[in-house]
Amino acid sequence: MAEYKELVNMFIQVLDEDNKISSIPLGISNRHIHLSQNDIECLFGEGYELTRLKDLSQPGQYACKETVLIAGPRGVIEKVRVLGPARLATQVEIVSGDCFKLGIQAPVRQSGDIENTPGLTIIGSKGTVVLEKGTIIAQRHIHMTPQDAQRFQVSDNQIVQLKLSGLRGGIYDNVVVRVDENFQLECHLDTEEANAMGLTSKSEVSIIR
């Protein structure tokens, strides 16, 4: 009985007004690219502004009409979606399988941590950019507000586990919690991670200590 209670207590059970366990929405990300304004103009023309196509779940973030081709030492990947708005530094987020096609070894990193990462060549409609660094595989993570963090009893940059339900469900380790007032509660996995456990954008996940 003691072992059973200890296992139950591992789960962070956040109760709502109806005493139901609160779960976390899931966002599934394919490969994409964030561009600096300077690189936007190099790729698409002087003074160019990105074309908003669809708002994303995180406030202020959106998918753009524009796509680019990325090239590594071994191969290329076409139609990589640009996400806006412009960032201070260009960052390419790929999935693990893309490394073989491109011929690079991208590390698993949090967004923005691009030091000592491989570069790529980016080809747009009007020009080319050769990156010296900036290619990563995004570490699986959960966006949440400080209020969410208090409810789930976690803190910024804390590493947790995820419980994923379904016929192919299981547990993912090394999930980083990212807390900011401007975030909206959502867990982010890439397409490979989601496909491995049969997940869709309608799936929900729960945090485990």
Side-chain angles (χ1 to χ4, degrees):
M1 179 64 71
E3 291 180 355
Y4 173 77
K5 289 182 178 179
E6 182 178 356
L7 180 62
V8 170
N9 287 336
M10 289 176 62
F11 288 83
I12 300 178
Q13 297 184 333
V14 181
L15 304 181
D16 60 21
E17 293 180 354
D18 298 320
N19 288 329
K20 295 180 180 179
I21 297 174
S22 176
S23 55
I24 299 172
L26 177 62
I28 301 172
S29 298
N30 201 350
R31 68 182 70 89
H32 58 271
I33 185 168
H34 303 275
L35 295 171
S36 68
Q37 184 58 40
N38 182 67
D39 287 347
I40 290 171
E41 297 190 23
C42 289
L43 294 167
F44 300 108
E46 185 176 354
Y48 192 89
E49 296 184 3
L50 296 172
T51 308
R52 186 188 296 260
L53 180 66
K54 179 183 178 181
D55 288 335
L56 302 178
S57 59
Q58 295 306 308
Q61 304 296 304
Y62 53 91
C64 302
K65 180 180 178 181
E66 292 78 13
T67 62
V68 296
L69 180 149
I70 58 175
R74 185 181 299 165
V76 304
I77 298 176
E78 299 178 333
K79 296 183 179 179
V80 178
R81 182 69 57 188
V82 178
L83 301 188
R87 291 196 176 185
L88 293 178
T90 292
Q91 175 177 289
V92 185
E93 297 184 32
I94 60 175
V95 297
S96 181
D98 292 339
C99 292
F100 298 101
K101 186 169 186 178
L102 294 168
I104 62 172
Q105 291 294 324
V108 176
R109 295 281 184 86
Q110 289 195 50
S111 181
D113 183 7
I114 61 173
E115 290 302 318
N116 300 313
T117 60
L120 284 173
T121 298
I122 309 169
I123 301 173
S125 59
K126 300 291 185 180
T128 299
V129 170
V130 179
L131 290 182
E132 294 184 357
K133 61 183 178 182
T135 308
I136 67 169
I137 299 169
Q139 183 175 357
R140 38 188 178 252
H141 56 278
I142 306 170
H143 291 283
M144 60 176 67
T145 65
Q147 293 75 24
D148 292 323
Q150 185 175 9
R151 287 197 302 123
F152 285 97
Q153 302 174 36
V154 294
S155 58
D156 189 38
N157 285 318
Q158 182 175 342
I159 302 298
V160 298
Q161 293 179 310
L162 286 181
K163 176 69 173 67
L164 304 117
S165 59
L167 291 175
R168 301 185 66 186
I171 294 173
Y172 269 139
D173 294 325
N174 300 316
V175 184
V176 64
V177 175
R178 299 176 58 188
V179 181
D180 191 278
E181 283 285 0
N182 296 316
F183 287 158
Q184 179 169 307
L185 181 64
E186 187 176 51
C187 173
H188 281 184
L189 302 178
D190 68 31
T191 52
E192 288 184 342
E193 294 169 323
N195 289 341
M197 292 199 181
L199 304 173
T200 72
S201 58
K202 295 183 179 179
S203 301
E204 293 184 329
V205 301
S206 300
I207 296 176
I208 305 176
R209 287 190 184 277

